[in-house]
Amino acid sequence: MLRPFPYSGCPMRPALLAIALSFAIVAPALAQDAAKPKYRSAKEIIDAAPASAWRDLDPANTLYMELPAGRVVIELAPGFAPEHVANIKTMAKGGFWDGLAIYRSQDNFVVQFGDAEGEEAGKAKAYPSGTRTKLPAEFTRDAKGARFDKLPDIDGWAPEVGFIDGMPAARDPKTGKAWMAHCYGMLGAGRNNAPDSSIGAELYVAIGQAPRALDRQLSAVGRVVKGMELLSVIPRGPEPMGFYEKPEQRAPILSIKLASDVPEAQRTPLQLLRTDSQAFIDATEARRNRVDGFYTIPVGHIDLCNVPLPVRATPAK
Amino acid sequence: MLRPFPYSGCPMRPALLAIALSFAIVAPALAQDAAKPKYRSAKEIIDAAPASAWRDLDPANTLYMELPAGRVVIELAPGFAPEHVANIKTMAKGGFWDGLAIYRSQDNFVVQFGDAEGEEAGKAKAYPSGTRTKLPAEFTRDAKGARFDKLPDIDGWAPEVGFIDGMPAARDPKTGKAWMAHCYGMLGAGRNNAPDSSIGAELYVAIGQAPRALDRQLSAVGRVVKGMELLSVIPRGPEPMGFYEKPEQRAPILSIKLASDVPEAQRTPLQLLRTDSQAFIDATEARRNRVDGFYTIPVGHIDLCNVPLPVRATPAK
């Protein structure tokens, strides 16, 4: 009766990593010990990261989705979908989602929210003043000028994967395009068949195995950075697509507000580990080759969507 | 206000797939139409599959996990973990899990169940008669003699991926070993640090992005084939590992029984699409290159853990 396993985050007994490093100057006896440096877990590395490795979540670029169970914090991705993000901000300021609901929950795929009656004449909620009702598709962006923190790991879905603006992303050197990857927690804009039929009013969040087949086929607009555990447990709707049959089954949304429109005392100040920091690079390597007494095989690989993007409460000054 | 997207399973307007096939005998005018065969969705292909493409789930190899919300159906994998599976059957017959609970729910990782008090002297539930309390680690199996329905898709975690005994699996031609892949719904045996410390009493199911880093590091013993939507919404326990703090937070398990020990009228007769059937191969290809009017990019890839393994109620004879 063995309780606490498998581990994902908290190895208890870090063991030695069997990679020899050379320490030219130390004495032989000492060198033997030093030659096998202690394996440092991702958590140890992240806990020891300097303040400069962390970036503040920008309230002007952050949504608070208030559910009865608590707050979901979303970082928007204006670098990937500037027009959708601007429109979403307009709608949030106008209280568009306040009192609306999550009306779809499809197991191992997405939850989707917005106006469930949006397509029924006479029932659809009016868009706030200033909302644009036609936007271009923003499936990809020009990779030029975007800092790409590339992973060395191969990926079946894209020629290159890594991080842009702190978001899991992919890049194609041939086309010069980059795009967000549909990892767990990714926020995207639902659309109809026409590529340019989304405006950001109806949104979905990936809640299962990364649906990477959606990459470059919808406009990804951001990522949940805190509170995924509130969205992922929303009861599933009926198969195959998870739309609830009855309005009372929907999960209500109290409000979605831009963090900068919320009084400072009511905000959730967060920091994210920079994907170009040494701590992030080292922590990812510690996961790629985890040999900590429980895990014994240095796997030598990590999938883009298995790389955690560490978040912490902003430390008091 | 655009409701029903993204799609995973049900394209509504199948469009033409731009792959030319030659039809030598038809007249030229007809040939032009026939040269662009209609894209057939995975659903269409599966719906049209012959009876021979389906296999019955074997009651002697199936667990019914009864939760207050309903039944979770698990197919065991004796080909991968024969000793664990035999022990699990012994424990199910002895009612070991009846009245126990899911005591861990870690977001984007696993739910875990068994005896939460298993490590507390005097509180641990006794194992049923015949339970073996020491088993070998069953992390890999000899690939020889195991039919491997190989996917052409590359994988970062293993040299080859595909299906063995209907389970998502990986294979290494160099070592001659094969193992189950930790995809969504995978059932594994929790252990302590010693590789041979699991006996199948404490089990976990993957509920998020496939934790493939666990492959070959724990004994995988089966797969949920129906009812994942009941396990995936179990409220998450506190970070980082999701163990509930209070006993009353645990999700109760009414019972876990071997299907063959349940009266026939109370069984859930299911069939699974054979992974060596043409329908399965074609449906996977339809997902790999999905061009149906909504999806417009033939991606050319699918990840092992994104391949659905179709299940249906056994048709009446």
Side-chain angles (χ1 to χ4, degrees):
Chain A
M1 309 200 189
L2 312 160
R3 284 190 62 221
F5 308 93
Y7 285 138
S8 75
C10 283
M12 281 174 175
R13 302 177 203 170
L16 298 179
L17 181 62
I19 293 176
L21 295 178
S22 63
F23 290 79
I25 303 178
V26 289
L30 190 60
Q32 274 201 330
D33 283 348
K36 287 187 179 179
K38 251 198 156 168
Y39 170 78
R40 287 170 74 220
S41 72
K43 183 178 187 306
E44 287 174 287
I45 292 164
I46 293 162
D47 286 350
S52 60
W54 296 88
R55 66 182 170 91
D56 292 321
L57 194 59
D58 176 7
N61 202 36
T62 300
L63 294 178
Y64 292 156
M65 178 189 204
E66 306 289 353
L67 302 177
R71 176 177 284 177
V72 178
V73 182
I74 293 164
E75 183 177 30
L76 295 168
F80 286 89
E83 307 215 36
H84 279 77
V85 167
N87 219 33
I88 287 167
K89 288 183 184 181
T90 300
M91 286 185 273
K93 279 179 184 292
F96 176 68
W97 292 283
D98 304 3
L100 291 179
I102 298 168
Y103 51 72
R104 176 189 188 185
S105 175
Q106 180 179 339
D107 196 53
N108 194 19
F109 192 45
V110 297
V111 291
Q112 187 169 331
F113 57 93
D115 185 3
E117 263 109 38
E119 293 193 323
E120 293 179 49
K123 285 190 172 181
K125 185 170 180 175
Y127 295 123
S129 164
T131 303
R132 292 172 61 197
T133 55
K134 188 79 189 170
L135 294 183
E138 296 181 298
F139 299 167
T140 62
R141 65 187 275 180
D142 196 334
K144 222 180 293 171
R147 186 195 162 88
F148 188 66
D149 299 324
K150 194 181 163 200
L151 285 174
D153 308 274
I154 65 158
D155 183 84
W157 303 96
E160 296 178 337
V161 289
F163 304 91
I164 296 176
D165 304 342
M167 303 276 167
R171 191 171 71 168
D172 186 346
K174 279 192 197 154
T175 63
K177 297 290 181 189
W179 57 92
M180 283 174 77
H182 276 77
C183 296
Y184 190 85
M186 169 69 51
L187 178 76
R191 64 167 171 87
N192 281 319
N193 272 11
D196 59 353
S197 58
S198 64
I199 63 166
E202 310 303 310
L203 296 165
Y204 61 90
V205 174
I207 58 165
Q209 172 72 12
R212 297 278 308 278
L214 302 182
D215 290 2
R216 294 178 294 158
Q217 313 229 32
L218 291 105
S219 299
V221 299
R223 190 173 72 78
V224 174
V225 295
K226 188 177 166 62
M228 260 312 289
E229 72 282 3
L230 306 180
L231 289 176
S232 58
V233 300
I234 302 287
R236 307 301 186 237
E239 293 183 352
M241 291 180 69
F243 289 99
Y244 299 121
E245 281 160 350
K246 299 172 191 165
E248 61 267 28
Q249 294 173 313
R250 295 175 196 149
I253 296 171
L254 305 178
S255 67
I256 296 182
K257 289 194 200 317
L258 205 57
S260 54
D261 290 340
V262 168
E264 213 165 327
Q266 293 164 30
R267 293 184 196 162
T268 307
L270 295 175
Q271 292 189 322
L272 292 128
L273 192 64
R274 303 179 65 99
T275 55
D276 60 351
S277 68
Q278 196 59 47
F280 183 82
I281 294 164
D282 292 347
T284 304
E285 174 57 24
R287 294 182 189 281
R288 194 180 280 119
N289 288 300
R290 189 166 172 174
V291 186
D292 59 11
F294 182 79
Y295 291 92
T296 55
I297 301 173
V299 177
H301 174 79
I302 192 163
D303 189 274
L304 172 67
C305 292
N306 285 103
V307 178
L309 294 163
V311 181
R312 69 174 184 184
T314 304
K317 281 179 187 171
Chain B
M1 307 200 187
L2 312 161
R3 284 190 63 219
F5 308 91
Y7 284 140
S8 76
C10 280
M12 283 173 175
R13 303 178 204 170
L16 299 179
L17 181 62
I19 293 176
L21 294 179
S22 64
F23 290 80
I25 302 174
V26 289
L30 190 61
Q32 271 199 332
D33 283 350
K36 286 189 178 176
K38 255 200 152 167
Y39 170 78
R40 288 169 74 220
S41 71
K43 182 178 187 306
E44 287 174 288
I45 293 164
I46 294 162
D47 286 350
S52 60
W54 297 89
R55 64 181 171 92
D56 292 322
L57 194 60
D58 176 7
N61 201 37
T62 300
L63 294 179
Y64 292 155
M65 178 190 204
E66 306 289 353
L67 302 177
R71 175 177 284 177
V72 178
V73 182
I74 294 165
E75 183 177 28
L76 295 168
F80 287 88
E83 306 216 32
H84 280 76
V85 166
N87 219 33
I88 287 167
K89 288 183 184 182
T90 300
M91 285 184 273
K93 278 180 184 294
F96 175 67
W97 293 283
D98 304 1
L100 291 179
I102 298 169
Y103 51 74
R104 176 190 189 186
S105 174
Q106 180 179 339
D107 197 53
N108 195 18
F109 192 46
V110 297
V111 291
Q112 187 170 332
F113 56 94
D115 184 4
E117 263 109 37
E119 293 191 323
E120 293 178 52
K123 285 191 169 182
K125 185 169 179 176
Y127 294 124
S129 164
T131 303
R132 292 172 61 197
T133 55
K134 188 80 187 171
L135 295 182
E138 296 181 297
F139 299 168
T140 62
R141 66 188 274 179
D142 196 333
K144 221 180 296 172
R147 185 194 165 90
F148 188 64
D149 299 323
K150 193 181 164 201
L151 286 175
D153 309 273
I154 65 159
D155 183 83
W157 303 96
E160 297 178 337
V161 289
F163 304 91
I164 296 176
D165 303 342
M167 304 274 166
R171 191 171 71 169
D172 186 345
K174 277 190 197 154
T175 62
K177 296 290 180 189
W179 56 93
M180 282 174 77
H182 276 77
C183 295
Y184 190 85
M186 169 69 51
L187 179 76
R191 63 167 172 87
N192 282 318
N193 273 11
D196 59 353
S197 58
S198 63
I199 63 164
E202 311 303 309
L203 297 165
Y204 62 90
V205 174
I207 58 165
Q209 172 70 13
R212 297 279 307 276
L214 302 182
D215 291 2
R216 293 178 293 158
Q217 313 229 34
L218 291 104
S219 299
V221 298
R223 189 173 72 78
V224 174
V225 294
K226 188 176 168 63
M228 260 311 289
E229 72 281 3
L230 305 179
L231 289 176
S232 59
V233 300
I234 301 286
R236 308 303 186 236
E239 293 183 351
M241 291 180 68
F243 289 99
Y244 299 120
E245 281 160 349
K246 298 170 193 167
E248 61 267 29
Q249 294 172 313
R250 295 174 196 148
I253 295 170
L254 305 178
S255 67
I256 296 182
K257 290 195 200 313
L258 205 57
S260 53
D261 289 339
V262 169
E264 214 165 325
Q266 293 164 32
R267 292 184 197 163
T268 306
L270 294 176
Q271 291 189 322
L272 292 128
L273 192 65
R274 302 178 67 99
T275 56
D276 60 352
S277 69
Q278 196 58 46
F280 183 82
I281 293 164
D282 292 347
T284 304
E285 174 57 22
R287 295 181 189 281
R288 194 181 280 119
N289 288 301
R290 188 165 173 177
V291 186
D292 59 10
F294 182 78
Y295 291 92
T296 56
I297 300 172
V299 176
H301 175 78
I302 193 164
D303 188 273
L304 172 67
C305 292
N306 285 103
V307 179
L309 293 164
V311 181
R312 69 174 184 183
T314 303
K317 282 179 188 172

